[in-house]
Structure formats: structure tokens, C-alpha cells
Amino acid sequence: MKSCVDYLLHLADSALIIGQRNAEWCGQGPVLEEDIALANISLDHIGQARMLYQLVAEIEGGDVTEDRLAYFRGERDYRNYTLLELPHHAGLSAYARTDRDYAVTMTRNFLYSTLMLLVWDQLQNVANEQVAAIAAKSLKEVRYHLRHSADWLVRLGDGTAESNRRMQGALDYLMPFTQEFWSPSEMETAAAAAGYGVETWTLRDTWTELVSAKVAEATLTLPEVGGYVTEGKAQLHSEHLGYVLAEMQSLARAHPEAVW
């Protein structure tokens, strides 16, 4: 059962961290409509995290709650993909002049939404009815997330020379982090065997086919990836997650017994 809990936390943490990252655009969006769209997408992710944390709390029992799981764990307890905790800019990119680059945000959302479209689709058929129900609801949401990010990928990739350059830079920067998607783990294997999860590595060919087609439509080039494989789902994170958690958890930790 521990592996199933770890797997559910992996899904929940990934949803919470990408939700928190996208929420950083609130009030900063390039246009009002996009500001609202990203806020809604963030709320979808946080809603998914809540359902999964509630399920973990039900399994664990005792004083475990969704709030405790979100706000009172340290970075070495989190199991999100490293891709999702990165800032909104390519740190080593020559064009990075601010701390927010819409090219990086949209490209990350596209890569992750494509993955989760396949994951939620598989999870809605697993034996555990609660996981299947969460997946069925989340699948409807991720279809919108993918359509939104893919539209921007094509619009900016096939736009001006400057927007194309930025989107290609974002794709080159982020693609190596997607290798973690396909890194097998004992928790995924055990969760799949117990009817709680899927082995994500089995989705690689379908994901690559979907991503390649949309990247080509955006007149971008899918880079070859290799080198170090990040290990966020194994609880080994970049220096960025601590800053995300520090801001996200500050109020709850400062006033742990506070109520409205």
C-alpha cells in the first residue's frame, strides 16, 4: 500500500506544483483573457491535487489531511516531476531578460498536458474506483489544458521570427526534463499491479507521436534529448522547489491553526 500512496502523492504533487507555477501569472498575463485562462487552469490542477490528497488522507488515516500534505511537508517529501518546478524562463537562454517568459510557460504546459491526457485516460480504467473517478473528471479538464497550450505553441511557433526563436529556445530547454517521464520506478510498477496506477514509460511512443505532430505544425524542431535524467518523482529536486514551497506554504506555516 505504501507504493500506492507514493504514486498518488506523485500525481498530487505534480498537479499542485504546476498549479502553483501557473498561478504566478495571475495579474501578470499578457492579455486579460490569458490571465483568466491561466488562473482557471491553475484551479483545475489544484482541484486535482485536492482530490488525490483527500484519497491519500483517507488511506493513511490519523491526523493526515489534504492541508497537511500540501502545506507541512518539506521539499524532500515531494514527488513532482522536476520539469514542473522550474521557473518561467530558461536560465541559460540569451533572451531571458525577465523572470517570466510565456514561451516557457506554454511549452511546459503543452508537454505536461500531452502526458497527462494519456495518463488520465489510462487511469480512468484502473481497478480502484476512486482513482478511476478522479481520472475521469481530470481527463475532461486536461483536454482543455492541452488545446489551450497547443494553440499557443502553433500560434507563437508559426508566428514572427522572434516568437519562433523564443518557442524553439523554450522547447530546447525543457525537452531534456521530459526524460523523467519515462524513467521506470518501483512505485509506478507496484501501483499499476495493485490497480491504482499506470506505468508511464509505456506511454512514451504515443506521447512522442502527439508532440512531434504539433511541434511540426508549429514549424519548430523537436530536439534530441539525452544526458542527466532528473529525479523529482524520486524526491531529488532542483534548487527551485524550495522557493516555490516557501511562498506557497508561508501563510499556513506562520498561522498553522488559523481559520477563516
Side-chain angles (χ1 to χ4, degrees):
M1 184 54 73
K2 183 180 183 308
S3 293
C4 296
V5 167
D6 290 344
Y7 179 74
L8 294 174
L9 287 174
H10 160 60
L11 292 176
D13 293 342
S14 292
L16 183 64
I17 297 303
I18 189 65
Q20 177 71 13
R21 274 303 189 197
N22 279 326
E24 291 171 354
W25 279 99
C26 188
Q28 306 288 332
V31 294
L32 181 59
E33 187 175 356
E34 274 304 294
D35 207 292
I36 296 169
L38 273 183
N40 283 328
I41 290 171
S42 294
L43 290 174
D44 286 344
H45 284 304
I46 292 169
Q48 293 164 9
R50 286 196 63 197
M51 291 187 289
L52 291 161
Y53 285 142
Q54 288 168 359
L55 179 54
V56 170
E58 181 181 323
I59 294 171
E60 294 280 79
D63 62 352
V64 179
T65 66
E66 58 176 297
D67 289 336
R68 187 163 295 280
L69 292 169
Y71 293 130
F72 295 96
R73 288 188 298 146
E75 58 188 276
R76 288 300 300 269
D77 298 319
Y78 270 72
R79 293 182 172 275
N80 58 279
Y81 291 119
T82 301
L83 171 74
L84 309 179
E85 68 200 39
L86 302 175
H88 302 283
H89 62 82
L92 300 179
S93 177
Y95 64 73
R97 300 190 182 93
T98 72
D99 61 353
R100 289 188 181 88
D101 187 333
Y102 217 58
V104 172
T105 300
M106 284 299 108
T107 302
R108 171 166 52 195
N109 285 355
F110 167 69
L111 297 172
Y112 180 64
S113 296
T114 304
L115 174 72
M116 293 312 297
L117 179 76
L118 303 176
V119 170
W120 291 129
D121 182 56
Q122 293 281 310
L123 285 177
Q124 68 174 343
N125 298 314
V126 298
N128 184 277
E129 293 181 356
Q130 290 168 290
V131 174
I134 293 171
K137 181 179 187 303
S138 302
L139 182 61
K140 297 175 184 174
E141 296 169 344
V142 78
R143 285 182 179 133
Y144 164 71
H145 301 170
L146 179 57
R147 185 167 65 247
H148 177 264
S149 58
D151 284 350
W152 276 106
L153 186 86
V154 173
R155 186 181 304 177
L156 295 174
D158 195 24
T160 66
E162 175 66 8
S163 68
N164 177 277
R165 187 172 69 87
R166 289 193 172 211
M167 292 303 288
Q168 187 64 58
L171 195 61
D172 292 345
Y173 170 61
L174 295 173
M175 272 298 293
F177 293 94
T178 65
Q179 294 180 104
E180 188 181 349
F181 295 168
W182 324 122
S183 174
S185 67
E186 291 183 5
M187 71 170 177
E188 289 171 299
T189 301
Y196 276 76
V198 297
E199 293 194 84
T200 308
W201 64 269
T202 63
L203 306 173
R204 181 173 190 167
D205 289 346
T206 306
W207 181 89
T208 302
E209 183 178 343
L210 292 173
V211 167
S212 298
K214 194 56 71 174
V215 165
E217 184 182 345
T219 67
L220 299 170
T221 302
L222 197 65
E224 295 289 333
V225 296
Y228 175 69
V229 179
T230 54
E231 300 177 272
K233 66 183 179 184
Q235 301 169 284
L236 298 176
H237 295 283
S238 72
E239 69 273 25
H240 305 295
L241 182 61
Y243 293 100
V244 175
L245 296 182
E247 181 172 2
M248 187 183 76
Q249 297 179 337
S250 60
L251 183 61
R253 286 180 180 269
H255 305 282
E257 304 299 329
V259 294
W260 289 103

